[in-house]
Amino acid sequence: MNRATRALLFFPLVAGCYVYRPITAADPVGRERVRLTLTDSGAVSLASQLGPATEEVSGRVLSDSAGAYLVSVLGTRRRGGTETDWKGEQVIVPRVLVAQAEERRFSRKRTVLASLAVVVIAAGARQAFWGPGG
């Protein structure tokens, strides 16, 4: 088996698919990455910290009080779809300014399906280009 074929077969083992689901636990501190969708008033109130027209904040929750999330921000998305990467700057996001809070979770089902698709495509490409003789 040549190096390229082994690399394609190894890829599914290291790749993973993730989905965002509503936060179910009372305490999302230290969990996977979270995504906070801001209300319209939240976008206006936090514009000085996050930039104008920011509708989503993603990052890790450092602390969670009854009234606010302290987030290590890894990225934001504006209303026009423009995404901006951050380097973990800390921002306090009051809960009343959050329309939806979701956490990133590993999706076993999507990962298995994507892995199978990669293996099938790799096998089909190998057969198409190299034929049965190798």
Side-chain angles (χ1 to χ4, degrees), residues 17-25 28 31-36 100-111:
C17 296
Y18 292 85
V19 293
Y20 279 93
R21 295 205 172 109
I23 294 175
T24 53
R31 292 184 168 240
E32 290 282 344
R33 191 170 175 159
V34 297
R35 178 171 62 191
L36 305 175
Q100 185 174 17
E102 301 169 300
E103 62 185 337
R104 187 175 86 154
R105 304 294 278 171
F106 178 75
S107 175
R108 185 176 296 146
K109 181 179 177 181
R110 287 185 181 190
T111 300

Side-chain angles (χ1 to χ4, degrees), residues 35-38 53-58 75-78 102:
R35 178 171 62 191
L36 305 175
T37 303
L38 302 176
T54 298
E55 66 178 0
E56 284 184 0
V57 178
S58 61
T76 58
R77 186 168 59 95
R78 294 189 179 168
E102 301 169 300

